[in-house]
């Protein structure tokens, strides 16, 4: 039973990693590294991922000419595009932000700036950002990574589990639907009794 539970948990984790990687536009290995850095600094992985989503959105807006977003990145001296004008990796930008935040004094301005570039949950990332980009990169580099084959297998396991669950439900419905009138009559007799 423990083996089945552990396998299910790991498969769901691999599937979630794949889904989140696609959503954020980050390679799974980079995302696993960032997740590990969050865990090492006592930061919620969900909060960090929400902030990465906001960061990606703000990077795209800054590139597209969004004045407030471009100004926010300008305040911390972080470039969102590379030499070719393409958006940089959100992970690399995140490490650059951490380098800047490490040197800022804690306070209202730092909190407001974190929220400008990382969204509402950015303030919750300040303890993580205070570690600095170099420390976060070291944490990220020490993460264990699932291979592409393992992630694909995880995704397939989750799909098969869902299919099995739905098939089982359908079988139970098929078996129980015809019995509903008899069950109703039986319950009525119990109530009368």
């Amino acid at each position: 039973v423990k083996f089945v539970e552990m396998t299910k948990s790991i498969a769901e984790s691999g599937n979630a990693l794949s889904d989140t990687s696609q959503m954020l536009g980050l390679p799974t290995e980079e995302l696993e590294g960032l997740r590990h850095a969050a865990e090492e600094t006592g930061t919620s992985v969900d909060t960090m991922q929400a902030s990465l989503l906001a960061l990606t959105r703000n990077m795209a807006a800054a590139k597209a000419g969004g004045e407030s977003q471009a100004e926010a990145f300008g305040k911390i001296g972080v470039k969102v595009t590379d030499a070719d004008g393409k958006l940089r990796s959100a992970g690399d930008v995140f490490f650059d932000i951490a380098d800047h935040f490490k040197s800022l004094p804690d306070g209202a301005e730092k909190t407001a700036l974190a929220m400008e570039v990382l969204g509402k949950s950015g303030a919750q990332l300040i303890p993580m950002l205070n570690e600095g980009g170099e420390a976060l990169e070291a944490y990220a580099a020490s993460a264990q990574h699932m291979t592409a084959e393992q992630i694909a297998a995880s995704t397939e396991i989750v799909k098969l589990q869902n299919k099995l669950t739905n098939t089982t439900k359908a079988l139970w419905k098929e078996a129980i639907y015809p019995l509903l009138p008899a069950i109703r009559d039986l319950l009525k007799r119990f109530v009368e009794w």
Side-chain angles (χ1 to χ4, degrees), residues 62-84:
K63 181 183 182 236
E67 289 181 28
S68 63
Q69 293 88 352
E71 183 181 330
F73 287 108
K75 287 179 192 175
I76 56 176
V78 172
K79 296 188 185 292
V80 297
T81 56
D82 62 18
D84 297 328

Side-chain angles (χ1 to χ4, degrees), residues 50-62 69 73 118-120:
S51 289
L52 283 175
L53 184 60
L55 173 62
T56 303
R57 184 178 56 246
N58 288 332
M59 288 169 57
Q69 293 88 352
F73 287 108
L118 297 166
K120 293 177 185 176

Side-chain angles (χ1 to χ4, degrees), residues 94-100 102 128-139:
F94 187 80
F95 293 139
D96 287 353
I97 292 168
D99 278 336
H100 182 75
K102 182 179 181 179
M128 181 180 180
L129 294 170
N130 283 343
E131 297 270 335
E134 192 174 310
L136 296 181
E137 285 185 71
Y139 291 140

Side-chain angles (χ1 to χ4, degrees), residues 17 20 24 26 29-52 91 94-95 98 118 121-122 124-145:
L17 176 68
T20 305
L24 294 173
L26 288 173
E29 188 172 296
E30 189 173 342
L31 179 57
E32 280 182 300
L34 288 165
R35 283 177 164 189
H36 185 67
E39 290 168 348
E40 289 290 316
T41 59
T43 303
S44 159
V45 170
D46 290 340
T47 299
M48 187 265 313
Q49 288 178 172
S51 289
L52 283 175
F94 187 80
F95 293 139
L118 297 166
S121 56
Q124 296 171 24
L125 293 186
I126 290 175
M128 181 180 180
L129 294 170
N130 283 343
E131 297 270 335
E134 192 174 310
L136 296 181
E137 285 185 71
Y139 291 140
S142 69
Q144 283 189 304
H145 299 288

Side-chain angles (χ1 to χ4, degrees), residues 163-184:
K163 189 172 187 169
L164 180 61
T165 298
N166 291 334
T167 301
T168 304
K169 282 181 185 176
L171 289 172
W172 276 107
K173 286 178 182 178
E174 195 174 309
I176 291 177
Y177 281 176
L179 299 175
L180 289 175
I183 293 170
R184 178 201 58 211

